[in-house]
Amino acid sequence: MPSPNLEVPEKRASSGFIFVFITITLDMLALGLIVPVLPNFLKEMTGGDVGEAAHMIGVFGFFWALMQFISMPIMGALSDQIGRKPILLISNFGQALSNLLTAFAPGFWLLLLSRILSGAVSAVGSTANAYVADTEPKETRAQKFGMLGAAFGLGFILGPAIGGYLGGINLRLPFFVAAGLCTINGLFGLIMLKESLKPENRRPFRWNSANPIGSIQFLGSNPKILKLTLIRALCDFAQVVYPSTFVLYGFYRYGWESDVAGLTLGLVGLSSMIVQAGLVGPIIRRIGEVSTLILGLFLGALGYGLYAWAPNQYILWASVPIASLAGIYGAAIQSLLTRQIGPEEQGRLQGAVGAVQAATSMVGPLVFTAIFAWSIAPVRDPSLPGLALGLAAFCLLIATGIAATGARQFRADQASAKN
């Protein structure tokens, strides 16, 4: 007989989700603390060279994503064998160590090592998605995925604002605070979080399915999953422009300091949280998952295009709610993906999708920071600082077209499943 402490009874499913929600909020809070500070931190290392700082951010982003590309499918497949809770704990305590290394880093190489470690242990997103798939029926998954998206937004409301303030005191202080938050978060999960994966739904760990190439082959074995993954990949690639270039763009074009950058990212987080927590469920109930996906992609393309064009920061700030409405597509695409697979392979699916996301995050920082550095080079007259954001908008337009072409089949699958 399975041990009862390994299962999540239905009456505890909602409390388990609350624990995961808080876990993601605190994790994103810790990450958000760093975002407005890192560019100035690197500018200090490079003697104030913005272009060189952009290239360094690109290098760090590449190696962080490379480690995610390797570890995401391993973590996802491992969570199918040992459960979701251990993976969440590894992520939290590993992030704490990574932030301490960053705080003490005297130069480039130790800073690079800290980013590599961070990438290796950052599996919390895919594991949290698998947790939701374990505990929620198909009819309510999209709404819960939207709430997880709200947790990301909530972390980014407080994180950048606090990080910008702390960075004004000392550029290394936000990293110490992030390490402390991740440690507290890990201890909280160790004591309070219940395991969600029932013993009968576990599957053995196999290296041939846990490596990144095998994961991508797994996604390609199902045409519907492949199309949804392609849409997701374009979206993830476009979103990389936020952590890699958005703050640098504000520094260059509008003359921001860390505090203004932090408050702007806080506005992005607030708007995202409102959309994810308050609008995803009603919109999906009103127009369905497929139409929600298409609408979100289009609004995202419009918002990023406005960012690229905005001649002043006031127009950029006014564009934030439009760009944030793109958040409705995330829950829709996650729900559509989880419908394509059984409970025993949800971790493998999320790990494989995470590997694709990591691959786009690996390429994205190099592409966006290189485009940004090229667009503001002294020989460029006039400069084109919004070019990277324009590329992100174009990617979302392509994703909108792919989603529109597959809409009929996705709706037919949903109708068939209901019958």
Side-chain angles (χ1 to χ4, degrees):
M1 176 180 294
S3 176
N5 65 337
L6 293 175
E7 301 185 20
V8 179
E10 289 186 17
K11 65 182 181 180
R12 294 186 181 178
S14 60
S15 61
F17 177 81
I18 292 172
F19 298 147
V20 173
F21 180 92
I22 294 173
T23 295
I24 291 181
T25 301
L26 291 177
D27 189 65
M28 292 309 299
L29 176 64
L31 290 175
L33 286 168
I34 298 168
V35 172
V37 178
L38 188 59
N40 277 340
F41 189 57
L42 294 176
K43 280 173 61 181
E44 186 180 82
M45 282 188 174
T46 59
D49 189 330
V50 178
E52 182 62 23
H55 284 303
M56 289 178 71
I57 290 175
V59 171
F60 291 151
F62 172 82
F63 280 100
W64 186 87
L66 175 63
M67 294 308 300
Q68 282 220 322
F69 179 69
I70 295 170
S71 66
M72 274 283 190
I74 294 174
M75 293 292 197
L78 193 60
S79 77
D80 283 336
Q81 180 185 36
I82 66 174
R84 318 304 184 195
K85 180 175 179 177
I87 304 302
L88 291 167
L89 296 180
I90 289 171
S91 178
N92 283 297
F93 291 120
Q95 287 283 20
L97 177 58
S98 169
N99 282 303
L100 282 177
L101 288 175
T102 303
F104 287 110
F108 176 84
W109 292 108
L110 189 57
L111 194 58
L112 178 60
L113 177 62
S114 73
R115 295 300 88 199
I116 289 174
L117 175 60
S118 175
V121 300
S122 296
V124 65
S126 60
T127 305
N129 287 334
Y131 187 99
V132 171
D134 291 341
T135 57
E136 292 295 325
K138 294 178 180 179
E139 294 74 20
T140 60
R141 282 181 193 170
Q143 184 173 359
K144 288 299 175 71
F145 284 134
M147 292 180 68
L148 286 185
F152 282 86
L154 180 59
F156 258 89
I157 293 171
L158 301 176
I162 297 172
Y165 173 76
L166 295 176
I169 300 172
N170 186 296
L171 286 176
R172 296 177 185 266
L173 182 58
F175 300 102
F176 285 111
V177 173
L181 288 173
C182 288
T183 301
I184 294 170
N185 188 29
L187 293 173
F188 174 77
L190 181 66
I191 298 170
M192 302 299 294
L193 185 64
K194 303 297 182 182
E195 180 54 63
S196 67
L197 186 62
K198 297 180 180 180
E200 62 267 25
N201 288 334
R202 301 190 182 197
R203 63 191 301 272
F205 179 87
R206 295 184 178 90
W207 280 108
N208 63 342
S209 63
N211 68 80
I213 304 302
S215 295
I216 293 173
Q217 290 174 340
F218 166 66
L219 295 173
S221 64
N222 184 318
K224 287 173 286 188
I225 289 180
L226 182 61
K227 180 171 283 191
L228 287 166
T229 303
L230 178 58
I231 295 169
R232 178 66 187 268
L234 286 166
C235 297
D236 291 336
F237 179 79
Q239 286 183 334
V240 173
V241 80
Y242 264 122
S244 66
T245 309
F246 189 74
V247 172
L248 289 169
Y249 174 71
F251 285 166
Y252 179 86
R253 189 164 192 179
Y254 309 121
W256 289 350
E257 296 295 338
S258 293
D259 55 349
V260 178
L263 290 172
T264 301
L265 290 173
L267 174 62
V268 172
L270 176 61
S271 300
S272 176
M273 188 191 70
I274 292 171
V275 169
Q276 299 279 4
L279 299 181
V280 169
I283 290 175
I284 287 179
R285 286 193 295 271
R286 178 81 174 180
I287 65 176
E289 292 172 348
V290 179
S291 295
T292 299
L293 171 61
I294 296 170
L295 177 62
L297 293 171
F298 176 76
L299 290 172
L302 177 61
Y304 278 49
L306 288 171
Y307 285 163
W309 166 79
N312 58 63
Q313 61 188 1
Y314 304 105
I315 293 178
L316 182 137
W317 290 336
S319 304
V320 167
I322 298 173
S324 296
L325 283 168
I328 63 176
Y329 75 71
I333 200 168
Q334 279 291 348
S335 182
L336 289 168
L337 276 167
T338 59
R339 289 175 182 271
Q340 313 299 323
I341 210 77
E344 73 283 355
E345 289 192 309
Q346 289 294 335
R348 184 184 181 190
L349 171 65
Q350 297 300 332
V353 172
V356 174
Q357 180 182 12
T360 62
S361 298
M362 191 164 44
V363 176
L366 296 176
V367 172
F368 285 121
T369 54
I371 289 174
F372 178 75
W374 178 88
S375 70
I376 65 169
V379 297
R380 201 78 51 230
D381 187 22
S383 63
L384 303 167
L387 191 60
L389 287 157
L391 174 61
F394 182 66
C395 289
L396 290 179
L397 275 179
I398 296 174
T400 305
I402 296 172
T405 61
R408 180 176 297 178
Q409 183 178 14
F410 293 141
R411 289 192 180 100
D413 291 340
Q414 285 182 295
S416 176
K418 288 180 181 179
N419 294 332

